[in-house]
Amino acid sequence: MPCGQQESGAVPARYVVGVDVGSTVVKCYVYDRRAAVRGASCRKVESLYPRPGWVELDPEVLWSQFVDVIKEAVRAAGLHMRQIAALGISTQRGTFITWHKRTGKPFHNFISWQDSRSAELVNSWNKSLLLKVIHVIFTVLHFLTGNDRYLAPSFLTFSTQHTSMKLSWVFKNIYEAEEAAKKNNCCFGTVDTWLLYRLTKGSVYATDYSNASATGVFEPFMKCWNPTLCNLLSIPMSIYPPVKDTSFNFGSTDSEIFGVPIPIMAVVADQQSAMFGECCFHPGDVKLTMGTGGFWNVNTGEHLFASRRGLYPLIGWKIGEEVVYLTEGCISDIGTAIKWAQDINLFTNVDETAKMARSIIDSQGVCFVPGFQVSVNDPCLCASFMGLKPSTTRNHLVRAILESVAFRNKQLYDIIVKKVRIPLQTIRADGGVSNNSFVMQMTSDLINKKIEKPANTDMSSLGAAFLAGLASGFWTDKEQLKKLRQIEAVFEPQKDLEEYKPAMDTWLQAMKHSLHW
């Protein structure tokens, strides 16, 4: 169903399309030169759960949804495909597929970043003597050289979220993929690579630096696929696609798909795309995305910070000679927890939740511990409500859920301030949960910082469109993009941190009780 409305009046000659293939929704927006939305469409992403812990996406269904939203959005804008100057594609990260190079046939469904089928493999590796030896070797190397590229391997711990572990699982459990790889006939691709391959009917096989760096199999310091890790996990190096610039002419869509060829001028990972859409172009700029999960990204400019516990480095984007690095920290179960609360009828409309939370003085000691997703630090963390009383109402439960989002934002922000040696500048929020004024205000209070929220919170689509527009000459430079930003609200600290201390201390106690369940 189209999510946008056609705008009446004169139609400019050229437009840019930005598509965001997220974890829950595929969205497409048609933008004019003012970056105003002229048409939009969305489709819900249907995840498959063939076994406990397995999360997959049907590649054919995803492909159909991708094509459909573009057609619907252009139609909603009252345009013809000939009027589209460029296409930019933003995609969820870490979700991947492998297929036969010659036939194009997938060996399996997309394996989602949320999938935990590699749990046994992860546990085996994390307990292994070999990993302990690796820790010692790289600790010594880091001590002797001071080179930050040796820091991350010195405390490397695998998790089920790592693409490398799931890819290792594929070659241990899917015979056809293993055999094809031996004959140099196996292709690996994240969602962007698969879409590029399909859009060009197999003529383009590539990814970009932002998507590659988010797999954990790509070495951000050397800017190449990591041969050491792949040899360690018995993953053949021949499967990986070439890595291109983020804002780049990837070729055009096959004319049979949309009736005319459309230039594909950008592919980018969703969080990096949101960062670009927020115009966080300068070192110290911070982007907070609150969607299915929560992501704090800090622009670190030309400097790549090595992984530190809770934070990891990414390539934000590469445009020509410019390479911008980010440091990222993430929180699971933000939108997931709120959606679950809606599913069990704690509220009807998500827009009600801020008002419900404000209708009471506090949560009456009720705490919500998020733990629907497997935690990297504690795979046995238990999702729970604590402190329930006969007087507890839906409002208390909803407030507890929203408070847990703000408390975790505070925790991650404190880690960033401590570990990232760059003064933090502007903080800009996006994602569906950024529409919740209670969460936004409480987060601002807790971190004692001003937070900006844009008029359009779907920043991943806009970022992809911006990158595509730059590559195609639709927009001239980043300075022009900054002028197109529209801020809807600014949240400034209103309460002292000390006022929240009793509630946060209680919540931290609840977190401790839910560990190692």
Side-chain angles (χ1 to χ4, degrees), residues 140-413:
V140 172
L141 283 172
H142 182 252
F143 176 77
L144 294 175
T145 66
N147 191 328
D148 272 0
R149 65 175 292 214
Y150 299 128
L151 183 61
S154 70
F155 55 78
L156 173 66
T157 303
F158 290 110
S159 87
T160 55
Q161 292 185 358
H162 287 167
T163 301
S164 56
M165 282 284 106
K166 285 176 275 206
L167 199 46
S168 179
W169 182 94
V170 165
F171 290 113
K172 289 179 185 299
N173 291 275
I174 301 178
Y175 175 76
E176 294 85 352
E178 182 189 18
E179 287 300 300
K182 287 177 183 175
K183 298 172 183 175
N184 234 7
N185 275 329
C186 182
C187 294
F188 161 87
T190 41
V191 176
D192 61 299
T193 303
W194 171 253
L195 290 174
L196 274 176
Y197 190 82
R198 291 295 298 266
L199 284 166
T200 60
K201 293 205 170 173
S203 66
V204 176
Y205 177 51
T207 188
D208 92 295
Y209 283 88
S210 69
N211 276 292
S213 72
T215 62
V217 192
F218 192 81
E219 224 293 341
F221 284 92
M222 305 302 292
K223 300 186 193 69
C224 65
W225 298 106
N226 191 328
T228 306
L229 181 63
C230 290
N231 288 334
L232 192 67
L233 300 177
S234 302
I235 300 171
M237 287 292 292
S238 62
I239 68 171
Y240 297 111
V243 184
K244 306 291 185 183
D245 281 10
T246 307
S247 184
F248 179 79
N249 187 348
F250 286 88
S252 294
T253 64
D254 188 277
S255 57
E256 289 184 8
I257 300 171
F258 299 113
V260 295
I262 299 175
I264 307 165
M265 303 304 284
V267 298
V268 58
D270 56 4
Q271 296 309 318
Q272 290 95 315
S273 188
M275 190 86 172
F276 202 88
E278 291 273 28
C279 296
C280 292
F281 299 144
H282 304 292
D285 283 351
V286 181
K287 185 269 306 174
L288 164 60
T289 295
M290 292 184 287
T292 306
F295 296 88
W296 285 79
N297 294 90
V298 182
N299 184 325
T300 59
E302 298 176 353
H303 185 72
L304 178 63
F305 281 93
S307 289
R308 286 165 170 82
R309 296 180 195 278
L311 303 174
Y312 46 93
L314 291 169
I315 295 175
W317 51 83
K318 183 177 182 297
I319 305 174
E321 295 302 310
E322 179 197 44
V323 181
V324 171
Y325 295 102
L326 311 179
T327 290
E328 180 172 285
C330 63
I331 307 165
S332 64
D333 293 335
I334 289 186
T336 312
I338 294 171
K339 177 67 170 63
W340 168 78
Q342 185 175 23
D343 289 344
I344 63 167
N345 298 317
L346 286 185
F347 57 87
T348 306
N349 190 316
V350 72
D351 296 335
E352 304 168 20
T353 55
K355 186 178 179 181
M356 291 172 72
R358 287 200 184 93
S359 70
I360 48 178
I361 300 172
D362 53 39
S363 68
Q364 212 180 60
V366 176
C367 296
F368 176 69
V369 177
F372 295 116
Q373 298 290 331
V374 174
S375 165
V376 175
N377 300 318
D378 179 15
C380 299
L381 178 68
C382 170
S384 57
F385 276 111
M386 292 192 185
L388 298 175
K389 305 169 185 67
S391 57
T392 299
T393 66
R394 290 183 183 187
N395 292 351
H396 293 113
L397 298 177
V398 168
R399 180 168 176 131
I401 291 172
L402 299 185
E403 284 183 343
S404 76
V405 176
F407 289 148
R408 286 182 296 154
N409 279 336
K410 164 66 173 169
Q411 283 184 313
L412 197 45
Y413 177 81

Side-chain angles (χ1 to χ4, degrees), residues 26 51 55 93 96 119 130 150 168 358 368 376 384 394 439 493 515:
V26 181
R51 297 187 192 178
V55 187
R93 307 173 303 176
F96 73 92
L130 179 56
Y150 299 128
S168 179
R358 287 200 184 93
F368 176 69
V376 175
S384 57
R394 290 183 183 187
V439 171
L515 297 173

Side-chain angles (χ1 to χ4, degrees), residues 430-455:
D430 64 270
V433 182
S434 70
N435 290 315
N436 190 296
S437 58
F438 180 86
V439 171
M440 291 289 287
Q441 185 58 59
M442 188 171 173
T443 299
S444 174
D445 291 344
L446 288 169
I447 67 174
N448 196 33
K449 283 279 189 180
K450 179 176 75 174
I451 306 174
E452 295 178 359
K453 187 182 88 70

